[in-house]
Structure formats: C-alpha cells, structure tokens
Amino acid sequence: MMDEKKRMDEFMTQCRERHVRVTPQRVEIFRQLSRCAEHPAAETLYERVRETMPAISLDTVYRTLSLLEAKHLVCTVGTVDGRTRYDATTALHYHFICDRCRSVSDIFRGEDDTFDPSIVAAGMGDVDAVNIQLRGTCRNCLDRASA
Amino acid sequence: MMDEKKRMDEFMTQCRERHVRVTPQRVEIFRQLSRCAEHPAAETLYERVRETMPAISLDTVYRTLSLLEAKHLVCTVGTVDGRTRYDATTALHYHFICDRCRSVSDIFRGEDDTFDPSIVAAGMGDVDAVNIQLRGTCRNCLDRASA
DNA sequence: TTCTTTGCAAAAACTTTGCAGCCGA
DNA sequence: TCGGCTGCAAAGTTTTTGCAAAGAA
C-alpha cells in the first residue's frame, strides 16, 4: 500500500494536470475517502471530513465527489439504498456488495484474471471507467444467519 | 431471440414460483421492459406502459420494478443521471454506458469469455446478481464529434 | 486580478409510503 | 374469501442550484 503522503502528492499533481484547483476541502475529502475502507456515501464521508474540517458543508462534498468523478480521480462503486458510494481507488478491481448489511468490499484481481474492458467493449466505443459489482450476501451475514 | 409469447409465459411461471402475484400491470411492465432495447428508467417505462394501459400510475411502476428486482426477475443496469435503469435480461452480460448521450447498450459475452463471478467472489460470500458497467463514449458520439 | 470555489439556504428530482378500494389465487 | 395490489396524493431522501463572499492560480 502506498503511503499517504505520496498518495496525496499524486492526487494534487493529477488535479493540476487536469485543471482541477487544489483546495483544502478537496484535499481533505480525498484524503478521508482514501482512508475509508467502507466505500462511503457522500453524507458518511461528510461526517468523516467534519471531524477535521468542521466548517465544511455537505454540498461541497457532493460537488467535490461529482467533480473528481468526472475527472476520474475517484470512482463510484454503485448505488446502495439510493445513495451513491465512492472509492478513491481507480485501478480496475471489483466490488462485493452485500444486500443484507449494505457493506461494500474490494475484490482485487487475481494473477490469472484476464478480464479486459477494452476487449470486451471492442467496437462499442472508448471505455473511460469500469464498474463491476457482485451483489449477494457476504460471509459475515451468511455466518450470522446460520449461527 | 425468444419470441414474446414464450417469454411472457416464462415470466408468469417464474412469478408464480416465487409467489409474486400476476397482475395486468406487472405483465405489461415486464412486456414493455423486454421490448425496450434502451434499458429505460422507471419514468420512461411508465410513459411506454401508459400507451397500452393509460390508467397505470408511476408509483406502480416503481413498486413493480423494485419487487421484480428483489425477486431477480429483472435487473438494474446502474444509475444514469440519478435515475435507475432496468433490464429484463438477467443472464450474465455487460453494459456499455455512454456518458455523453446517456445511452445504455448490451454487450453479450464472447465465446472465449471466462469471467466467472462465483470464482471472482470466492470466499467473499454468495453472489446473487452481477452488474458490469463499462462507461465511456459510444461509437455514435465519437463519430459525431469527429465529423 | 480573474475566474473558480465555498457555504448557506432553498429547490429540484427521484423514489417511497399511507390509505381505501379492488383483485388475483 | 383473504391477503396482497393499485391509484391517488403527499411526504421523504438524496442531490442540485443560485448567490455573495472568499480563495486559488
């Protein structure tokens, strides 16, 4: 795992490359999103960011996520209970979404994984982002149900 | 492609198996959704269904889609512009979503496609549904831009 | 300096829900 | 018959937008 300082420097560099102004709010939103393993919705992330930046407003979180997603600095994981969930990792990977507890977990690709979006979409157009959701019941919920 | 009568019979059989009551509204909603290649949102489908069933209400369309999705008789394709889009085909396939024109197209699997959700999610839990979105710019929009 | 961004508040958009009468099984 | 379904209307949630002040390049 990349250390945080390096990750934040990279974020700021990419912002400048894409003409996205670097503001304290954007930096903090990205930092907290990177730290969250839970793939939070806007409001959840807002609560998190408020701990270190109490004056921030919810609409700034919405606007920032929406901007960063458009610039592919962040990606959406899908919608759970009507709320859009986000991920700071844009590298190709999958998500397991539990329909029972609403948790979202990363699934990183195995060595033998040959799934290739640009081959799959050959002829359809240019692919900028990929979102792969596997929905079902997670191990925790299965264990709890059988206990 | 399966003919419509056969598809509708299958739908009604599956409804009964899953204890979902067969009503004219549900049948018509499913029929129109099956006919739509565009993967419509609830409101778009509502307009479509109203052509043959003028008295239906929008909330019935919402309730029906939500029920059918829970029963895996229909699946969601993801959210485009804040609206959930649906698909009557539940067999594993992919979707190409154009961020420019908001169109959603099916991508059926190639012969050599070895992507297997239950292997990918091995150990994470039980997978009930899969949703794979490739987002980008479609051929049409690319051609229009370069013209 | 200039154009963008933020916070506040209000609004918009989509979706859900309560209720009474109706209908499928 | 009985429990679930529908239409109507109203509410609920999430997300977006207008505006003036503050801030990044």
Side-chain angles (χ1 to χ4, degrees), chain A residues 92-95 115 130-134, chain B residues 115 130-133:
Chain A
L92 180 61
H93 65 292
Y94 314 131
H95 291 109
F115 183 83
V130 178
N131 181 358
I132 299 181
Q133 306 165 24
L134 309 183
Chain B
F115 183 83
V130 178
N131 181 357
I132 299 182
Q133 306 165 25

Side-chain angles (χ1 to χ4, degrees), chain A residues 70-84:
Chain A
K71 301 289 184 180
H72 301 296
L73 289 165
V74 137
C75 69
T76 61
V77 160
T79 301
V80 181
D81 286 329
R83 283 170 230 101
T84 303

Side-chain angles (χ1 to χ4, degrees), chain A residues 19-76:
Chain A
H19 305 289
V20 171
R21 291 195 176 177
V22 176
T23 68
Q25 289 86 344
R26 290 175 180 174
V27 169
E28 193 59 21
I29 287 167
F30 184 84
R31 188 203 317 280
Q32 295 299 338
L33 180 60
S34 302
R35 284 183 186 167
C36 280
E38 70 191 87
H39 306 82
E43 186 145 6
T44 310
L45 187 56
Y46 166 63
E47 302 293 351
R48 201 67 50 93
V49 173
R50 272 213 295 186
E51 291 170 14
T52 55
M53 191 176 264
I56 200 169
S57 70
L58 177 57
D59 49 79
T60 297
V61 176
Y62 273 108
R63 277 188 281 218
T64 299
L65 290 172
S66 158
L67 174 71
L68 296 184
E69 204 233 329
K71 301 289 184 180
H72 301 296
L73 289 165
V74 137
C75 69
T76 61

Side-chain angles (χ1 to χ4, degrees), chain B residues 35-54:
Chain B
R35 284 183 185 167
C36 279
E38 70 191 87
H39 306 81
E43 186 146 3
T44 310
L45 187 56
Y46 167 63
E47 302 293 352
R48 201 66 51 94
V49 173
R50 271 213 294 185
E51 293 171 12
T52 55
M53 191 177 262

